[in-house]
Amino acid sequence: MRRKRSATREGAHVLIDTYGRVATDLRVSLTDRCNLRCTYCMPEEGLQWLAKPDLLTDDEIVRLIGIAVTRLGIEEVRFTGGEPLLRPGLPGIVERVAALAPRPQMSLTTNGIGLRRTAAALKAAGLDRVNVSLDTLRPDVFKTLTRRDRHKDVVEGLEAAREAGLTPVKINSVLMPGLNADEAPDLLAWSMEHDYELRFIEQMPLDAQHGWKRDGMVTAGDILASLRTRFHLTEESAEERGSAPAERWIVDGGPHRVGVIASVTRPFCAACDRTRLTADGQVRTCLFAAEETDLRGALRSGAPDEEIAGIWRTAMWGKKAGAGLDDPSFVQPDRPMSAIGG
């Protein structure tokens, strides 16, 4: 199995919803700021960032993670952004979370630009592994997609992460029509050559400019058809997948694997085990949720840990059955990916 799960837990000490799903994976956004301007995420001029007083402090982040781990059954913590490497206190946050008992598994989703200088320190602080966004092998296409000329920095960041032992190093790639939609086989071959695990992610309706269109996206089916022009793919079993968002295929008999996260065309909501905390202290039960629950207010008003845990439990109890992307009434969330955390 790809994820370990505790066999039994008391109901008062888990984040369970009315459909019986238990959240054991916490995604924590550390900042809404980013040093790229990816076309599928935000406009070229950027966004109105959160004011510093609205952001959770380092102490508040560690306290909320501690509540989640010690009182609510969280086993894995993923640090996200915006770009989490822009958070000045990141190594200290990681070190303090690593000291929790029980110790959660910790990973980081990053654009990789700052990894060359931070990978070793993050490993020393206790980080287990990283996911790095890289959508293309072509520097000119990278510049078009991200509006920044930083391709070399990302490649060097990947190398630094591998050398530091932040493994398995996973690469997240989004394919866009007319830009990099033809690169799936090349990305896979390159990833295998460098011992990275590649995962393609369907473009999701989380861009700040609300320009996403279903009929303009590269689907999981498109990606797999492209990969099969060069590779033989053997699908892993549902048992092997567990609650992981990525469907995975063994490439050419192994040992390498490739994943596809088909959030739009093949949703996996029934097995979702995630809860999300925004950089300004809001609980989100789903990436596509229209509602949030405020924990920052409770923190700053002096609420004890058990009261905050109770607010969190109530929020998760109301989690919807699915994201609703196939519902004609679906409305894209007002908050973009950079504010929510991936």
Side-chain angles (χ1 to χ4, degrees):
M1 291 290 291
R2 289 161 63 188
R3 296 181 179 221
K4 292 184 179 180
R5 292 288 176 254
S6 300
T8 58
R9 293 175 185 269
E10 295 180 22
H13 301 290
V14 297
L15 289 170
I16 191 169
D17 63 35
T18 55
Y19 299 92
R21 296 169 298 191
V22 176
T24 55
D25 185 333
L26 170 61
R27 308 295 171 98
V28 180
S29 174
L30 298 178
T31 178
D32 61 331
R33 296 173 183 265
C34 189
N35 42 13
L36 296 180
R37 297 292 181 269
C38 296
T39 57
Y40 52 78
C41 186
M42 67 175 71
E44 186 171 5
E45 64 273 16
L47 300 169
Q48 182 68 46
W49 308 124
L50 291 166
K52 187 172 182 179
D54 294 334
L55 294 171
L56 294 175
T57 66
D58 292 1
D59 287 346
E60 288 171 337
I61 289 170
V62 173
R63 183 181 170 197
L64 286 176
I65 294 174
I67 291 170
V69 169
T70 62
R71 294 175 181 266
L72 298 172
I74 289 297
E75 299 172 359
E76 301 180 34
V77 176
R78 172 85 61 87
F79 297 108
T80 70
E83 173 45 50
L85 295 183
L86 295 178
R87 178 89 186 197
L90 176 58
I93 292 171
V94 171
E95 185 173 21
R96 292 168 68 185
V97 173
L100 293 173
R103 180 198 186 280
Q105 288 289 304
M106 285 184 292
S107 58
L108 177 84
T109 294
T110 171
N111 63 30
I113 288 176
L115 266 180
R116 181 176 58 180
R117 60 178 173 77
T118 58
L122 289 171
K123 179 64 177 180
L127 192 69
D128 294 303
R129 64 170 192 83
V130 294
N131 286 29
V132 180
S133 298
L134 180 64
D135 302 322
T136 177
L137 300 176
R138 305 192 294 250
D140 59 324
V141 176
F142 182 92
K143 187 175 181 180
T144 299
L145 274 167
T146 67
R147 304 184 179 103
R148 299 290 186 272
D149 189 11
R150 306 297 298 272
H151 187 268
K152 181 173 180 286
D153 296 309
V154 178
V155 172
E156 291 179 350
L158 281 161
E159 294 170 354
R162 185 186 59 213
E163 291 169 2
L166 293 170
T167 55
V169 176
K170 296 183 180 180
I171 293 178
N172 294 338
S173 295
V174 176
L175 299 183
M176 302 289 288
L179 287 173
N180 62 339
D182 61 333
E183 286 197 67
D186 290 340
L187 280 163
L188 179 53
W190 184 83
S191 297
M192 292 193 299
E193 178 186 350
H194 293 85
D195 202 25
Y196 305 136
E197 183 175 325
L198 177 63
R199 306 192 311 172
F200 293 100
I201 304 176
E202 288 183 335
Q203 184 197 3
M204 294 180 283
L206 291 168
D207 58 306
Q209 55 272 44
H210 288 207
W212 178 88
K213 288 181 172 53
R214 184 184 300 273
D215 58 5
M217 60 177 285
V218 179
T219 68
D222 297 331
I223 295 165
L224 292 169
S226 179
L227 292 175
R228 287 185 172 119
T229 63
R230 196 184 305 180
F231 304 97
H232 177 73
L233 304 180
T234 305
E235 188 171 6
E236 286 188 336
S237 67
E239 179 183 2
E240 189 71 16
R241 179 184 182 186
S243 58
E247 298 175 75
R248 293 203 310 180
W249 282 262
I250 301 166
V251 183
D252 291 341
H256 297 289
R257 286 164 168 75
V258 64
V260 179
I261 299 178
S263 302
V264 178
T265 63
R266 287 139 77 152
F268 41 86
C269 301
C272 181
D273 65 348
R274 285 166 289 289
T275 184
R276 301 174 185 278
L277 185 64
T278 67
D280 54 350
Q282 310 300 304
V283 169
R284 293 184 64 87
T285 60
C286 173
L287 267 175
F288 305 102
E291 308 84 18
E292 297 178 337
T293 300
D294 180 31
L295 294 185
R296 185 189 63 197
L299 271 177
R300 295 181 179 179
S301 67
D305 286 0
E306 189 49 47
E307 181 180 332
I308 294 170
I311 296 170
W312 207 330
R313 288 189 200 99
T314 300
M316 292 304 294
W317 183 250
K319 183 173 182 173
K320 294 180 179 178
L325 291 175
D326 291 327
D327 189 323
S329 65
F330 172 77
V331 177
Q332 184 173 334
D334 288 334
R335 301 191 84 178
M337 176 72 83
S338 60
I340 296 171

